Amino acid sequence: MDVSKEDELCLISIREALKVVRGKWSILVLTLLSLGPQRFNQMRRNLDHISIKSLTDVLHHLEQHEVINRQVFPTRPVTVEYTLTDKGRAYIPVLRELRIWGENWGEHPKLG
Amino acid sequence: MDVSKEDELCLISIREALKVVRGKWSILVLTLLSLGPQRFNQMRRNLDHISIKSLTDVLHHLEQHEVINRQVFPTRPVTVEYTLTDKGRAYIPVLRELRIWGENWGEHPKLG
DNA sequence: CCGAATCCAATTAGATACTG
DNA sequence: CAGTATCTAATTGGATTCGG
């Protein structure tokens, strides 16, 4: 074995996390919801070029893993609002660190 | 526009970060290297079921984005060691938060 | 030991049309 | 508005073979 028992636990935890939140869309959806509740087409606009299928797929996945919440309001036409669950809000520190890293090390240097 | 100017900047930073570190393999490779230098086949063993192609692909990608460093030692047979760059080490806080989340909210509950 | 190169399978993403 | 269903395109991943 090349890594210690403790290191192995670290890898396991990361793998666990990646089972739930994986791929760029998941992260971006969670980022958007961390800024406030969003409706379906509202997210489509804010995420720019995501397809209907990709968005529905990732929303289903995140909802099944209880990271986001789907609430239907019986207006006409119907309104559906997505929000973060406790589990989802607990992910915000990850997003925060990721944002910091992107700001400091991303391709586009910050304009002075 | 549905999100504020400030929120838009947040999304942009996240997108920037995702251009460099994306997919489960990148994260796992960085996690492994955050624990110490690693050689090619050593990483293959520690990452369990990653294929040669997937590993070389992700290592190239991360090296091109200056997140990891590749150093060749002229032994026989040759030894190649991968380490984190400054940019890569700056990513460790993201990994740390991700690990914490995985520990607390992953599928396998912590054994009491 | 460290890969490059090739081929093929599987997963993911987009476009489009249609529904309540 | 908020999707479902379907089809196709593109990306990614694995298996294998070969070379320095």
Side-chain angles (χ1 to χ4, degrees), chain A residues 5 15 22 40 42 69 78 89 99-100 103 110:
Chain A
K5 197 76 182 174
R15 280 183 211 271
R22 59 184 180 195
F40 188 84
Q42 191 181 6
N69 209 293
V78 72
R89 275 188 293 275
R99 177 192 178 169
I100 292 171
E103 284 174 352
K110 280 186 289 191

Side-chain angles (χ1 to χ4, degrees), chain B:
Chain B
M1 180 158 54
D2 290 317
V3 293
S4 71
K5 196 75 182 174
E6 174 63 17
D7 292 347
E8 191 63 35
L9 289 177
C10 178
L11 281 168
I12 289 174
S13 297
I14 297 282
R15 278 183 212 272
E16 288 290 319
L18 291 174
K19 282 182 194 168
V20 179
V21 181
R22 59 184 179 194
K24 64 173 177 178
W25 291 129
S26 287
I27 296 275
L28 290 173
V29 163
L30 291 184
T31 301
L32 207 50
L33 292 180
S34 75
L35 304 173
Q38 294 270 319
R39 286 174 294 103
F40 189 82
N41 283 327
Q42 191 180 8
M43 299 183 79
R44 283 202 70 203
R45 284 189 298 276
N46 287 327
L47 293 181
D48 213 9
H49 292 312
I50 190 172
S51 68
I52 296 176
K53 182 177 171 296
S54 297
L55 183 54
T56 58
D57 284 354
V58 66
L59 288 174
H60 283 161
H61 179 82
L62 292 175
E63 190 191 358
Q64 276 172 6
H65 285 82
E66 299 179 293
V67 175
I68 67 174
N69 210 292
R70 179 179 185 271
Q71 192 171 4
V72 182
F73 298 96
T75 54
R76 192 160 37 260
V78 72
T79 302
V80 181
E81 191 174 88
Y82 293 90
T83 52
L84 294 183
T85 62
D86 286 347
K87 187 173 178 180
R89 276 187 293 275
Y91 199 86
I92 290 180
V94 181
L95 301 176
R96 183 168 39 76
E97 294 297 336
L98 193 58
R99 176 192 180 169
I100 293 171
W101 192 83
E103 284 173 352
N104 292 332
W105 301 90
E107 289 175 13
H108 299 309
K110 278 186 288 190
L111 305 174

